[in-house]
Amino acid sequence: MTEPEPTYLDYNATAPLRPEARAMIMEVFRHAGNASSLHQAGRNAAARVDRGRRQLASLLNCTPGELVFTSGATEANNLALRASHAAGEALVISAVEHPAVLETAQDLTRDRPELLTKLPVDGDGTVDLEPLREVCAQERLSIVSVMSANNETGVLTDLAPIIKLAHDAGALVHTDATQHVGRIPLDLAELEVDLLSLSAHKFGGPQGVGALFIRRGVPLPYRPLLTGGGQERGWRAGTLNVSGIAGTGAAAEAARLNLVQEMQRVGTLRTLLESELKRRVPGCRINGAGTRRLPGVSSVTFPGAPADAVLAAMPEVAASEGSACASGAPTPSHVLLAMGLNRDDADATVRFSLGHATTEDDVHHAIEATVRAVMHVRTAMAAEAEP
Ligand code: PMP
């Protein structure tokens, strides 16, 4: 007999493929066709790509020509930073960026680490802009890259003042919006970032597809990561991933059509999860609760109950400790440490993330499993500590 599927509350690691995306991908797989070929099969493939690009542009309110398809947000972040940064210029990021930005920024300033500024955050995960003001006043700044929504806590950044400071200093602004896109509205006609990264698998598209938005007219030095056949206007060589891009478009459209209702529905489920955990698990704390967060993310610290033990005691629920990209690594979450948690509390933090296919039953199931698992771990730890 096969095991029942666990209740899936790990949308920030990856969201389940939306049915609309699956149907589109299967349909594209039925046909051969390279989007660069001139014959009919190639033109059909190119039409699928064009449609996917238009659908994604419509979710973001940008023009299709401002999108470069990539293999995901890791590549989009690399392209954004590596294309904009020039040796000897200062670079500003936040202390809570995903490793795809953090490591890339560190790599770019390896020879002169003093050129990299990491903006600290307060206890709620809100970015402190003071060091940005100082850098703007003193250095020649190439790019400011601050994520719009944090993958571990869901905390949202107010990007407007960052954009103003950076633009006044003549710098470009990039945002890693991987956790934001398709979850809550994002309007690139209003949000004046120059560059924005996203990843399809976070909003119900396939894994291995992402995009970098490059605003038209932005003076970006032409430095592609991959050179070759000149696809994507030279920004990203390689045969286009027709099925992946078409599936991304279908997922983007499905997300766009229900964005506001879904936001409210998922927000209500998150409130249910958090209020029940707070009521039933003594001492538990919600990280980032004092500020604006994505509706579907809940980072919960259970003092005295290490997250690895809690998750092992509730295999019927798929949730995450820290972020999935860092899991397996013994280091505690840099995001939670930057928010001022001590190491024990950071290690005792579970991330639940909800999304388009999450039901109220899923949440009730997760509440029961979590309460039981935390109590079990706390009891076991207390017994171990007995002399
Ligand atoms: N940035 C953020 C904020 C993320 O959450 C992730 C995925 N964990 C990435 C970048 C990397 O995305 P991808 O898996 O598409 O490379």
Side-chain angles (χ1 to χ4, degrees):
M1 222 174 74
T2 52
E3 296 269 319
E5 292 256 332
T7 297
Y8 191 82
L9 295 185
D10 208 5
Y11 278 65
N12 279 18
T14 199
L17 196 63
R18 289 179 188 263
E20 297 85 348
R22 183 180 304 112
M24 177 57 75
I25 291 167
M26 298 313 281
E27 169 58 21
V28 175
F29 275 152
R30 293 177 53 235
H31 308 276
N34 182 323
S36 301
S37 300
L38 296 180
H39 45 63
Q40 186 61 44
R43 288 203 301 275
N44 291 345
R48 303 261 191 214
V49 168
D50 287 349
R51 177 156 182 243
R53 199 188 297 277
R54 282 198 307 275
Q55 287 169 317
L56 182 58
S58 167
L59 175 65
L60 304 169
N61 198 18
C62 66
T63 62
E66 290 173 306
L67 295 172
V68 172
F69 281 108
T70 65
S71 63
T74 299
E75 184 187 331
N77 286 339
N78 267 269
L79 179 56
L81 297 191
R82 292 180 193 279
S84 353
H85 182 70
E89 293 181 340
L91 203 160
V92 176
I93 63 172
S94 85
V96 295
E97 295 300 313
H98 185 273
V101 166
L102 210 48
E103 297 285 327
T104 307
Q106 271 161 206
D107 185 45
L108 284 166
T109 52
R110 207 177 29 219
D111 296 335
R112 295 197 45 204
E114 73 279 6
L115 289 174
L116 176 61
T117 300
K118 293 182 199 162
L119 304 174
V121 295
D122 68 11
D124 266 324
T126 304
V127 178
D128 175 6
L129 298 191
E130 207 37 53
L132 174 60
R133 289 197 183 90
E134 283 164 28
V135 178
C136 287
Q138 286 163 15
E139 317 253 12
R140 184 165 161 67
L141 181 61
S142 62
I143 182 159
V144 179
S145 176
V146 178
M147 69 200 321
S148 68
N150 185 271
N151 45 306
E152 296 192 33
T153 59
V155 168
L156 294 165
T157 306
D158 180 11
L159 289 168
I162 297 177
I163 295 169
K164 169 98 179 70
L165 283 168
H167 282 172
D168 286 352
L172 295 177
V173 181
H174 166 250
T175 191
D176 177 355
T178 303
Q179 298 290 353
H180 182 153
V181 170
R183 306 267 178 77
I184 59 172
L186 192 155
D187 183 345
L188 281 169
E190 273 176 18
L191 184 71
E192 291 177 343
V193 291
D194 303 295
L195 302 155
L196 175 144
S197 303
L198 63 91
S199 184
H201 71 103
K202 307 292 186 183
F203 59 86
Q207 296 177 342
V209 187
L212 179 67
F213 158 80
I214 307 177
R215 190 177 294 282
R216 191 195 306 269
V218 162
L220 193 63
Y222 178 67
R223 293 191 207 111
L225 299 177
L226 301 179
T227 45
Q231 289 89 346
E232 296 295 85
R233 305 177 305 290
W235 275 111
R236 209 277 184 174
T239 298
L240 286 170
N241 178 352
V242 181
S243 61
I245 293 169
T248 298
E253 180 148 305
R256 181 176 64 82
L257 293 176
N258 283 307
L259 205 53
V260 175
Q261 297 94 301
E262 269 301 289
M263 237 172 85
Q264 283 159 355
R265 192 186 71 84
V266 168
T268 306
L269 294 179
R270 199 254 316 261
T271 304
L272 170 66
L273 174 74
E274 293 187 344
S275 56
E276 280 302 290
L277 291 178
K278 277 194 294 197
R279 191 173 71 78
R280 293 175 56 186
V281 184
C284 85
R285 292 193 298 270
I286 314 292
N287 299 303
T291 190
R292 280 178 62 238
R293 287 182 292 158
L294 286 175
V297 187
S298 187
S299 166
V300 193
T301 301
F302 301 105
D308 54 352
V310 171
L311 293 172
M314 46 186 263
E316 67 274 38
V317 177
S320 171
E321 48 175 315
S323 81
C325 301
S327 68
T331 48
S333 151
H334 68 286
V335 174
L336 299 174
L337 295 185
M339 289 167 73
L341 272 71
N342 64 34
R343 193 181 165 143
D344 283 347
D345 282 352
D347 285 342
T349 301
V350 174
R351 178 188 70 187
F352 301 93
S353 44
L354 291 54
H356 62 86
T358 309
T359 64
E360 193 173 328
D361 275 353
D362 290 337
V363 174
H364 284 298
H365 186 219
I367 293 165
E368 295 309 320
T370 308
V371 171
R372 218 179 309 120
V374 174
M375 297 310 178
H376 168 79
V377 171
R378 283 182 174 169
T379 310
M381 302 269 296
E384 240 174 62
E386 295 266 307

